[in-house]
Amino acid sequence: MPTALVLFSSGQDSATCLAWALNAFERVETIGFAYGQRHAVEMKQRPLLRDAIAALRPDWAGRLGGDTVVDLSGYGALAESALTADRAIEMLESGLPSTFVPGRNLVFLSVAAAHAYRRSASALVGGMCETDYSGYPDCRRETIDAMESALSLGLAAPLTIVTPLMRLTKAQTWALAHTLGGDGLVRIILEHSHTCYEGDRSKRHDWGYGCGACPACELRAKGWREWSATGAV
Ligand code: ZN
């Protein structure tokens, strides 16, 4: 089993991806990106979330290697400038939400691939999903396939980009977390993961922390409700 590098923010999706990778690979490392102020909460939560997931099972703790945070604030400043000046969360004429950060996954995957190359990791694992998603074109598997080819060619080394959540709904992502780590993993994701665009951790809902009104919270809450309704909780 090759080493995997997980693109790890502190969201529900990347938390589930980390558990998935710890189940599937002998050795797992993580990488995160600091690219803007909205992610101050994310950056604070990610070590807590990472440690809690590793502590869930001794074999996971044994497999989890280092974590690297890359400062991409220069990229963040460039990309954010393409959004609405007041940063309202709304649909734009392009058909994309104003939260779309142009090229984000392309940049993240390129930087992650460079780190993976140095760490002799031949697989990148990311939580991109084109089922219950916000319409971001760089989350589509077609985009990921093109990146996989470009990076493998450009590095002259085979690189696989694994996206275990690509075809899952948010409810199915909760179900996958439960399969991987039981109630313990679900509790950790509820308590420590962060999805809210507004960075709000002042309100605790049954599905976790968040403002409860932004598109990310709505998506997370909807998935939780659907999964809860199956009687699994
Ligand atoms: Zn929110």
Side-chain angles (χ1 to χ4, degrees), residues 89 194-200 207 209-218:
I89 299 173
H194 184 85
T195 307
C196 176
Y197 282 143
E198 304 292 351
D200 187 343
W207 45 265
Y209 292 91
C211 71
C214 76
C217 281
E218 282 177 2

Side-chain angles (χ1 to χ4, degrees), residues 25 27-28 38 43 59 71 90 109 115 125 133 175 177-178 180 196 201 207 213 221-222 227 229-230:
F25 291 86
R27 176 120 187 117
V28 176
R38 274 189 189 275
M43 299 317 283
D59 56 331
D71 181 356
E90 59 188 2
L109 287 167
H115 186 60
V125 180
Y133 81 139
H178 192 259
L180 289 165
C196 176
R201 288 192 70 76
W207 45 265
K222 177 174 167 281
W227 183 60
T230 66

Side-chain angles (χ1 to χ4, degrees), residues 1 24 29 51 74-75 78 101 122 126 128-129 151 169 180 200 206 208-209 214:
M1 274 293 181
E29 298 191 11
D51 290 350
Y75 161 71
L78 274 178
V101 182
S122 60
M128 300 82 176
C129 170
L151 292 168
T169 63
L180 289 165
D200 187 343
D206 52 352
Y209 292 91
C214 76

Side-chain angles (χ1 to χ4, degrees), residues 36-111:
Q37 74 278 19
R38 274 189 189 275
H39 298 267
V41 172
E42 269 194 26
M43 299 317 283
K44 194 167 153 250
Q45 287 305 117
R46 65 188 292 288
L48 299 173
L49 182 61
R50 187 181 182 278
D51 290 350
I53 292 171
L56 202 58
R57 283 176 34 179
D59 56 331
W60 287 5
R63 288 172 178 183
L64 186 57
D67 179 43
T68 303
V69 174
V70 183
D71 181 356
L72 292 179
S73 50
Y75 161 71
L78 274 178
E80 293 292 325
S81 70
L83 302 183
T84 53
D86 61 2
R87 299 175 59 92
I89 299 173
E90 59 188 2
M91 287 305 286
L92 303 179
E93 277 178 28
S94 61
L96 286 169
S98 58
T99 48
F100 175 57
V101 182
R104 178 168 56 180
N105 280 332
L106 311 184
V107 173
F108 286 3
L109 287 167
S110 299
V111 174

Side-chain angles (χ1 to χ4, degrees), residues 6 18 26 35 38 43 51 65-66 77 82 103 108 111 114 116 142 148 170 173 176 187 197 200 217 220 222 224:
V6 178
L18 177 57
E26 287 298 326
Y35 67 99
R38 274 189 189 275
M43 299 317 283
D51 290 350
F108 286 3
V111 174
E142 195 180 357
E148 190 177 79
K170 288 290 173 215
T173 299
L176 175 61
R187 258 197 313 276
Y197 282 143
D200 187 343
C217 281
R220 178 165 164 152
K222 177 174 167 281
W224 175 262

Side-chain angles (χ1 to χ4, degrees), residues 16 19-20 23 53 56-57 60 174-189:
T16 308
W20 183 89
N23 224 36
I53 292 171
L56 202 58
R57 283 176 34 179
W60 287 5
W174 282 114
L176 175 61
H178 192 259
T179 303
L180 289 165
D183 292 343
L185 182 58
V186 170
R187 258 197 313 276
I188 287 167
I189 294 174

